[in-house]
Amino acid sequence: MTDVLIVGAGPTGLVLACDLARRGAAVRIVDRSPVPPRTSRAKGPNARSLEILDDLGVAEEVLAAGSAPLPMLKYRDRLPVAETDPWADSAPSPDALYDRGRLIAQWRLEEILRDRLAGYGVRVELGREVTGVAEGPGGRHVDVTFTAGRTERARYVVGCDGAHSSVRKLLGIGFEGATAEDQVMVCGDVDLADGALDRTRWHQWFDEDGAVMLCPIPGTRTGWWFQAGPERDGRVFLAGDAAHVHAVAGGLGMNTGIQDAFNLGWKLGLALAGRAGAELLDTYEEERLPVAARTLDLTSERLRATLEAIRRPGGGLDAAITSDTTGLGVSYRWSSLARGLAEDPRAGDGSPDAEVRTARDRERPAPQPGDRAPDAPCVDAVTGARTRLHRVFAGPGTTVLGFGPGSAAALREVAAAYGDAGVRTCRVYAAHEDRAGSGPGAAVVDDEGHAAAAYGTKASDGTGTGKGTSTLVVVRPDHHLGLSAPADDTRSVPAYLRRLHGGTRSAEGAAERFSGIGGRRP
């Protein structure tokens, strides 16, 4: 029996399939199209999606196949009137390697993901349309029927088959909302004569009644993205456009689907391994549904701003681009997996309305449970090679970071109790700390202090006495913070890991040893 059957082989389904396949799941992915599509819809991944693609090991190929976002050349009455580069003032930072998205044809991105998936021995099954989905007796599996009448069985089914999802319709799940006629756009790929337009610019023609836009497709000689606005007068999960669609402003459609898949993949992986059950799977909807609602509000608001901007000469699509469209600020602070939220007055009210952090939030000294885990450049303590924290997090596992000398004993106990359950440890040393006897797991040197700054820790007081603050930080497999706790807190980290990874024989044997760290009892 298949562990997970994914219906739909667009970016959302392919990201989920890659994530599950690398976890060792028996995954299949089907698509009703007889051949892979060669048309483009989305223009490419945003900054947060690039981090996910980096984790999957394909970011370098995506960067090579695509191009940076282009300056926007705007016309009025057929004459150029303004040029804007919305990303001119942005740059990578220590906590975010990617400060902007990448332009790449969707079909090219899908090719890259299909090749990655094939490396795990899984290939897309084309020309297979689902006509029936029914939960089996006892709720232990799902029976899936295809057009030829053949029924196959899977433990879980995930519908990633777009806005007209057959899986959603077969389940009778409603799809609320409507599309306003003045928000419809005609999109497609077109060929222009070689040299007809400058391919280093995104050309945008606007007047008070409509718009026509042409953006060059990277990797092609004469291909362009064309967009035009109309003239004005239980055991089945849904991800991507099968679960939500919204206005095109901000380019968040495909990106929201990719991030849906990254949130769901690790939870399904733990459930398939028998380490988690329905409670963890329920957090997929708990966390991603509010994000979808917020994205709908954001894209609608950005569309209104764009429609207002283009009424004025020089206005254009740059009005749709804000820091929120990078995806780096998406958080799950309200989630039941955001441990310690209620006790931290800096965390706000934790409501779903606050999942996108404001600029003021980003200035706080430390990320809160549920926030994206910051990146930071550092040095491998063993090889001396440059690396970064997101490389430490990469792959299908939870990571426990230890800052300060007092974290060493706790990291050893975590490794002993949960090392066989997919939990990794990493000691983060300050530049001045003695690194002798680092123990099991990875170790990096925060040589420039960026990791301590990003996580709001003070690894040591610099005297060598070990009196500085020692902290443990749990980073979920999707690079969001689970909790941050003092290293001598003997309850929080083990309890959180038990929730994600279940009890293990090693964990039971280590419980008493862990409780003795710092002299505190659970």
Side-chain angles (χ1 to χ4, degrees), residues 472-496:
L472 295 177
V473 177
V474 179
V475 179
R476 300 171 8 170
D478 59 353
H479 302 182
H480 282 261
L481 262 65
L483 67 84
S484 178
D488 64 352
D489 180 346
T490 63
R491 296 179 296 175
S492 296
V493 172
Y496 192 82

PDB file of all heavy atoms in Angstrom, residues 472-496:
ATOM      1  N   LEU A 472      18.832  26.609  24.916  1.00  0.00           N
ATOM      2  CA  LEU A 472      18.503  25.583  23.935  1.00  0.00           C
ATOM      3  C   LEU A 472      17.394  26.120  23.040  1.00  0.00           C
ATOM      4  O   LEU A 472      16.412  26.693  23.535  1.00  0.00           O
ATOM      5  CB  LEU A 472      18.034  24.301  24.618  1.00  0.00           C
ATOM      6  CG  LEU A 472      19.048  23.554  25.484  1.00  0.00           C
ATOM      7  CD1 LEU A 472      18.381  22.348  26.125  1.00  0.00           C
ATOM      8  CD2 LEU A 472      20.251  23.123  24.675  1.00  0.00           C
ATOM      9  N   VAL A 473      17.549  25.945  21.738  1.00  0.00           N
ATOM     10  CA  VAL A 473      16.554  26.384  20.770  1.00  0.00           C
ATOM     11  C   VAL A 473      16.161  25.185  19.917  1.00  0.00           C
ATOM     12  O   VAL A 473      17.024  24.547  19.315  1.00  0.00           O
ATOM     13  CB  VAL A 473      17.102  27.516  19.869  1.00  0.00           C
ATOM     14  CG1 VAL A 473      16.077  27.897  18.817  1.00  0.00           C
ATOM     15  CG2 VAL A 473      17.492  28.728  20.699  1.00  0.00           C
ATOM     16  N   VAL A 474      14.861  24.880  19.869  1.00  0.00           N
ATOM     17  CA  VAL A 474      14.372  23.790  19.035  1.00  0.00           C
ATOM     18  C   VAL A 474      13.859  24.361  17.724  1.00  0.00           C
ATOM     19  O   VAL A 474      12.988  25.244  17.722  1.00  0.00           O
ATOM     20  CB  VAL A 474      13.252  22.996  19.736  1.00  0.00           C
ATOM     21  CG1 VAL A 474      12.743  21.881  18.831  1.00  0.00           C
ATOM     22  CG2 VAL A 474      13.748  22.413  21.055  1.00  0.00           C
ATOM     23  N   VAL A 475      14.409  23.891  16.609  1.00  0.00           N
ATOM     24  CA  VAL A 475      14.006  24.327  15.276  1.00  0.00           C
ATOM     25  C   VAL A 475      13.284  23.174  14.593  1.00  0.00           C
ATOM     26  O   VAL A 475      13.836  22.085  14.438  1.00  0.00           O
ATOM     27  CB  VAL A 475      15.220  24.770  14.438  1.00  0.00           C
ATOM     28  CG1 VAL A 475      14.776  25.209  13.047  1.00  0.00           C
ATOM     29  CG2 VAL A 475      15.966  25.900  15.139  1.00  0.00           C
ATOM     30  N   ARG A 476      12.039  23.401  14.214  1.00  0.00           N
ATOM     31  CA  ARG A 476      11.241  22.386  13.546  1.00  0.00           C
ATOM     32  C   ARG A 476      11.831  22.040  12.178  1.00  0.00           C
ATOM     33  O   ARG A 476      12.632  22.800  11.627  1.00  0.00           O
ATOM     34  CB  ARG A 476       9.809  22.894  13.365  1.00  0.00           C
ATOM     35  CG  ARG A 476       9.111  23.222  14.638  1.00  0.00           C
ATOM     36  CD  ARG A 476       7.779  23.928  14.516  1.00  0.00           C
ATOM     37  NE  ARG A 476       7.191  24.075  13.211  1.00  0.00           N
ATOM     38  CZ  ARG A 476       5.946  24.498  12.996  1.00  0.00           C
ATOM     39  NH1 ARG A 476       5.166  24.796  14.051  1.00  0.00           N
ATOM     40  NH2 ARG A 476       5.468  24.635  11.788  1.00  0.00           N
ATOM     41  N   PRO A 477      11.416  20.906  11.586  1.00  0.00           N
ATOM     42  CA  PRO A 477      11.935  20.545  10.264  1.00  0.00           C
ATOM     43  C   PRO A 477      11.619  21.549   9.166  1.00  0.00           C
ATOM     44  O   PRO A 477      12.297  21.556   8.135  1.00  0.00           O
ATOM     45  CB  PRO A 477      11.255  19.197   9.989  1.00  0.00           C
ATOM     46  CG  PRO A 477      10.979  18.624  11.338  1.00  0.00           C
ATOM     47  CD  PRO A 477      10.629  19.805  12.186  1.00  0.00           C
ATOM     48  N   ASP A 478      10.595  22.392   9.360  1.00  0.00           N
ATOM     49  CA  ASP A 478      10.280  23.401   8.344  1.00  0.00           C
ATOM     50  C   ASP A 478      10.918  24.750   8.654  1.00  0.00           C
ATOM     51  O   ASP A 478      10.502  25.775   8.120  1.00  0.00           O
ATOM     52  CB  ASP A 478       8.760  23.541   8.181  1.00  0.00           C
ATOM     53  CG  ASP A 478       8.064  23.939   9.475  1.00  0.00           C
ATOM     54  OD1 ASP A 478       8.720  23.981  10.540  1.00  0.00           O
ATOM     55  OD2 ASP A 478       6.844  24.216   9.434  1.00  0.00           O
ATOM     56  N   HIS A 479      11.939  24.743   9.526  1.00  0.00           N
ATOM     57  CA  HIS A 479      12.707  25.947   9.845  1.00  0.00           C
ATOM     58  C   HIS A 479      11.875  26.995  10.568  1.00  0.00           C
ATOM     59  O   HIS A 479      12.094  28.200  10.380  1.00  0.00           O
ATOM     60  CB  HIS A 479      13.337  26.575   8.594  1.00  0.00           C
ATOM     61  CG  HIS A 479      14.235  25.660   7.841  1.00  0.00           C
ATOM     62  ND1 HIS A 479      14.924  26.044   6.712  1.00  0.00           N
ATOM     63  CD2 HIS A 479      14.567  24.355   8.020  1.00  0.00           C
ATOM     64  CE1 HIS A 479      15.620  25.029   6.242  1.00  0.00           C
ATOM     65  NE2 HIS A 479      15.416  23.984   7.020  1.00  0.00           N
ATOM     66  N   HIS A 480      10.950  26.575  11.397  1.00  0.00           N
ATOM     67  CA  HIS A 480      10.256  27.483  12.296  1.00  0.00           C
ATOM     68  C   HIS A 480      10.610  27.100  13.724  1.00  0.00           C
ATOM     69  O   HIS A 480      10.849  25.924  14.023  1.00  0.00           O
ATOM     70  CB  HIS A 480       8.736  27.432  12.086  1.00  0.00           C
ATOM     71  CG  HIS A 480       8.294  28.197  10.878  1.00  0.00           C
ATOM     72  ND1 HIS A 480       7.786  29.476  10.943  1.00  0.00           N
ATOM     73  CD2 HIS A 480       8.300  27.875   9.565  1.00  0.00           C
ATOM     74  CE1 HIS A 480       7.496  29.909   9.731  1.00  0.00           C
ATOM     75  NE2 HIS A 480       7.801  28.947   8.869  1.00  0.00           N
ATOM     76  N   LEU A 481      10.640  28.104  14.611  1.00  0.00           N
ATOM     77  CA  LEU A 481      11.021  27.849  15.980  1.00  0.00           C
ATOM     78  C   LEU A 481       9.914  27.121  16.739  1.00  0.00           C
ATOM     79  O   LEU A 481       8.744  27.514  16.672  1.00  0.00           O
ATOM     80  CB  LEU A 481      11.327  29.158  16.706  1.00  0.00           C
ATOM     81  CG  LEU A 481      12.823  29.533  16.788  1.00  0.00           C
ATOM     82  CD1 LEU A 481      13.364  29.804  15.400  1.00  0.00           C
ATOM     83  CD2 LEU A 481      13.027  30.737  17.683  1.00  0.00           C
ATOM     84  N   GLY A 482      10.304  26.058  17.457  1.00  0.00           N
ATOM     85  CA  GLY A 482       9.368  25.384  18.348  1.00  0.00           C
ATOM     86  C   GLY A 482       9.379  26.020  19.715  1.00  0.00           C
ATOM     87  O   GLY A 482       8.338  26.380  20.259  1.00  0.00           O
ATOM     88  N   LEU A 483      10.567  26.184  20.278  1.00  0.00           N
ATOM     89  CA  LEU A 483      10.694  26.850  21.573  1.00  0.00           C
ATOM     90  C   LEU A 483      12.137  27.262  21.785  1.00  0.00           C
ATOM     91  O   LEU A 483      13.059  26.795  21.118  1.00  0.00           O
ATOM     92  CB  LEU A 483      10.229  25.947  22.718  1.00  0.00           C
ATOM     93  CG  LEU A 483      11.029  24.690  23.056  1.00  0.00           C
ATOM     94  CD1 LEU A 483      12.204  25.000  23.984  1.00  0.00           C
ATOM     95  CD2 LEU A 483      10.146  23.668  23.742  1.00  0.00           C
ATOM     96  N   SER A 484      12.326  28.152  22.745  1.00  0.00           N
ATOM     97  CA  SER A 484      13.634  28.562  23.231  1.00  0.00           C
ATOM     98  C   SER A 484      13.555  28.526  24.748  1.00  0.00           C
ATOM     99  O   SER A 484      12.618  29.062  25.336  1.00  0.00           O
ATOM    100  CB  SER A 484      13.975  29.973  22.730  1.00  0.00           C
ATOM    101  OG  SER A 484      15.224  30.400  23.232  1.00  0.00           O
ATOM    102  N   ALA A 485      14.535  27.865  25.393  1.00  0.00           N
ATOM    103  CA  ALA A 485      14.467  27.683  26.836  1.00  0.00           C
ATOM    104  C   ALA A 485      15.862  27.718  27.427  1.00  0.00           C
ATOM    105  O   ALA A 485      16.843  27.366  26.755  1.00  0.00           O
ATOM    106  CB  ALA A 485      13.788  26.351  27.164  1.00  0.00           C
ATOM    107  N   PRO A 486      15.998  28.129  28.700  1.00  0.00           N
ATOM    108  CA  PRO A 486      17.294  28.033  29.364  1.00  0.00           C
ATOM    109  C   PRO A 486      17.788  26.590  29.360  1.00  0.00           C
ATOM    110  O   PRO A 486      16.999  25.652  29.454  1.00  0.00           O
ATOM    111  CB  PRO A 486      16.997  28.511  30.795  1.00  0.00           C
ATOM    112  CG  PRO A 486      15.751  29.324  30.673  1.00  0.00           C
ATOM    113  CD  PRO A 486      14.960  28.694  29.576  1.00  0.00           C
ATOM    114  N   ALA A 487      19.096  26.410  29.246  1.00  0.00           N
ATOM    115  CA  ALA A 487      19.648  25.064  29.130  1.00  0.00           C
ATOM    116  C   ALA A 487      19.394  24.214  30.364  1.00  0.00           C
ATOM    117  O   ALA A 487      19.416  22.987  30.289  1.00  0.00           O
ATOM    118  CB  ALA A 487      21.143  25.141  28.848  1.00  0.00           C
ATOM    119  N   ASP A 488      19.144  24.836  31.517  1.00  0.00           N
ATOM    120  CA  ASP A 488      18.879  24.057  32.725  1.00  0.00           C
ATOM    121  C   ASP A 488      17.394  23.815  32.958  1.00  0.00           C
ATOM    122  O   ASP A 488      17.007  23.278  33.992  1.00  0.00           O
ATOM    123  CB  ASP A 488      19.507  24.720  33.956  1.00  0.00           C
ATOM    124  CG  ASP A 488      18.902  26.092  34.249  1.00  0.00           C
ATOM    125  OD1 ASP A 488      18.102  26.582  33.415  1.00  0.00           O
ATOM    126  OD2 ASP A 488      19.220  26.667  35.300  1.00  0.00           O
ATOM    127  N   ASP A 489      16.554  24.187  31.990  1.00  0.00           N
ATOM    128  CA  ASP A 489      15.124  23.855  32.060  1.00  0.00           C
ATOM    129  C   ASP A 489      14.983  22.396  31.639  1.00  0.00           C
ATOM    130  O   ASP A 489      15.094  22.060  30.462  1.00  0.00           O
ATOM    131  CB  ASP A 489      14.339  24.777  31.124  1.00  0.00           C
ATOM    132  CG  ASP A 489      12.841  24.505  31.134  1.00  0.00           C
ATOM    133  OD1 ASP A 489      12.431  23.444  31.642  1.00  0.00           O
ATOM    134  OD2 ASP A 489      12.091  25.335  30.618  1.00  0.00           O
ATOM    135  N   THR A 490      14.747  21.526  32.605  1.00  0.00           N
ATOM    136  CA  THR A 490      14.775  20.090  32.340  1.00  0.00           C
ATOM    137  C   THR A 490      13.475  19.558  31.769  1.00  0.00           C
ATOM    138  O   THR A 490      13.389  18.382  31.427  1.00  0.00           O
ATOM    139  CB  THR A 490      15.083  19.321  33.635  1.00  0.00           C
ATOM    140  OG1 THR A 490      14.027  19.562  34.585  1.00  0.00           O
ATOM    141  CG2 THR A 490      16.402  19.768  34.224  1.00  0.00           C
ATOM    142  N   ARG A 491      12.467  20.401  31.647  1.00  0.00           N
ATOM    143  CA  ARG A 491      11.160  19.900  31.224  1.00  0.00           C
ATOM    144  C   ARG A 491      10.795  20.285  29.807  1.00  0.00           C
ATOM    145  O   ARG A 491      10.252  19.487  29.050  1.00  0.00           O
ATOM    146  CB  ARG A 491      10.069  20.389  32.183  1.00  0.00           C
ATOM    147  CG  ARG A 491      10.208  19.866  33.595  1.00  0.00           C
ATOM    148  CD  ARG A 491       9.099  20.407  34.483  1.00  0.00           C
ATOM    149  NE  ARG A 491       9.192  21.862  34.626  1.00  0.00           N
ATOM    150  CZ  ARG A 491       8.303  22.607  35.270  1.00  0.00           C
ATOM    151  NH1 ARG A 491       7.233  22.051  35.801  1.00  0.00           N
ATOM    152  NH2 ARG A 491       8.467  23.899  35.375  1.00  0.00           N
ATOM    153  N   SER A 492      11.085  21.542  29.439  1.00  0.00           N
ATOM    154  CA  SER A 492      10.507  22.082  28.202  1.00  0.00           C
ATOM    155  C   SER A 492      10.972  21.352  26.949  1.00  0.00           C
ATOM    156  O   SER A 492      10.160  20.946  26.113  1.00  0.00           O
ATOM    157  CB  SER A 492      10.831  23.577  28.082  1.00  0.00           C
ATOM    158  OG  SER A 492      10.231  24.301  29.125  1.00  0.00           O
ATOM    159  N   VAL A 493      12.291  21.193  26.785  1.00  0.00           N
ATOM    160  CA  VAL A 493      12.806  20.576  25.563  1.00  0.00           C
ATOM    161  C   VAL A 493      12.382  19.117  25.445  1.00  0.00           C
ATOM    162  O   VAL A 493      11.868  18.700  24.397  1.00  0.00           O
ATOM    163  CB  VAL A 493      14.329  20.737  25.464  1.00  0.00           C
ATOM    164  CG1 VAL A 493      14.882  19.922  24.291  1.00  0.00           C
ATOM    165  CG2 VAL A 493      14.696  22.204  25.280  1.00  0.00           C
ATOM    166  N   PRO A 494      12.554  18.270  26.488  1.00  0.00           N
ATOM    167  CA  PRO A 494      12.090  16.880  26.361  1.00  0.00           C
ATOM    168  C   PRO A 494      10.596  16.777  26.078  1.00  0.00           C
ATOM    169  O   PRO A 494      10.165  15.954  25.273  1.00  0.00           O
ATOM    170  CB  PRO A 494      12.450  16.251  27.709  1.00  0.00           C
ATOM    171  CG  PRO A 494      13.536  17.099  28.250  1.00  0.00           C
ATOM    172  CD  PRO A 494      13.245  18.481  27.782  1.00  0.00           C
ATOM    173  N   ALA A 495       9.791  17.616  26.732  1.00  0.00           N
ATOM    174  CA  ALA A 495       8.342  17.565  26.513  1.00  0.00           C
ATOM    175  C   ALA A 495       7.998  17.950  25.089  1.00  0.00           C
ATOM    176  O   ALA A 495       7.125  17.338  24.455  1.00  0.00           O
ATOM    177  CB  ALA A 495       7.630  18.485  27.504  1.00  0.00           C
ATOM    178  N   TYR A 496       8.686  18.948  24.543  1.00  0.00           N
ATOM    179  CA  TYR A 496       8.400  19.381  23.180  1.00  0.00           C
ATOM    180  C   TYR A 496       8.813  18.318  22.179  1.00  0.00           C
ATOM    181  O   TYR A 496       8.081  18.015  21.232  1.00  0.00           O
ATOM    182  CB  TYR A 496       9.118  20.696  22.885  1.00  0.00           C
ATOM    183  CG  TYR A 496       8.646  21.342  21.602  1.00  0.00           C
ATOM    184  CD1 TYR A 496       7.480  22.098  21.584  1.00  0.00           C
ATOM    185  CD2 TYR A 496       9.335  21.162  20.404  1.00  0.00           C
ATOM    186  CE1 TYR A 496       7.019  22.684  20.406  1.00  0.00           C
ATOM    187  CE2 TYR A 496       8.889  21.736  19.228  1.00  0.00           C
ATOM    188  CZ  TYR A 496       7.732  22.497  19.235  1.00  0.00           C
ATOM    189  OH  TYR A 496       7.282  23.055  18.066  1.00  0.00           O
TER     190      TYR A 496
END
